[in-house]
Amino acid sequence: MSAGAVTPPPRAVRPPRRDPPRPETAADESEAPALQPAPPAPPVALAIQTPGASAKADQSIRQLLTRAATDLRRLDYGRLDSDRRTQYDTAKSFMQQAEDALRARNVMFAGKLADKAATMAAALVR
């Protein structure tokens, strides 16, 4: 090097450019799990009720509804405050929905509704 020669500044080192993989070139399975379809959902197992079990379930639901109705009859609707009236009306609504569900043979839903109605009615009586 001569005294008058100028040295060029050092070049900045750039990292190699990475393009997103193209679908036709992304055959590597380690990069493609997101592209695979999800496995099918397992089949839903339906509860099969025998006539005896269904009759027993109907009977227990009817007992809950009878208990709820008995508790609600013990109350004087006119003397209830607005919150308790709302609870009373909700319990009556659950009872009606449970009856409708029983007619539609939706025993599980009817049971849940009857249980809610009985619980609310019992709480109102206390």
Side-chain angles (χ1 to χ4, degrees), residues 21-92:
R22 295 184 187 142
E24 55 270 346
T25 61
D28 186 353
E29 287 186 18
S30 65
E31 294 178 2
L35 301 176
Q36 296 177 0
V44 177
L46 298 175
I48 300 174
Q49 288 191 343
T50 61
S54 180
K56 205 174 213 181
D58 282 359
Q59 182 182 12
S60 66
I61 291 168
R62 296 246 180 245
Q63 286 175 347
L64 283 171
L65 291 173
T66 301
R67 188 175 348 147
T70 302
D71 286 344
L72 291 179
R73 276 194 300 270
R74 293 172 54 193
L75 298 169
D76 182 6
Y77 187 80
R79 300 185 77 189
L80 298 176
D81 63 11
S82 65
D83 287 338
R84 292 173 56 104
R85 281 184 184 177
T86 302
Q87 291 176 353
Y88 182 100
D89 293 338
T90 303
K92 286 286 243 186

Side-chain angles (χ1 to χ4, degrees), residues 101-112:
L102 277 176
R103 275 189 228 102
R105 304 304 311 147
N106 192 346
V107 178
M108 290 187 68
F109 187 54
K112 289 178 183 181

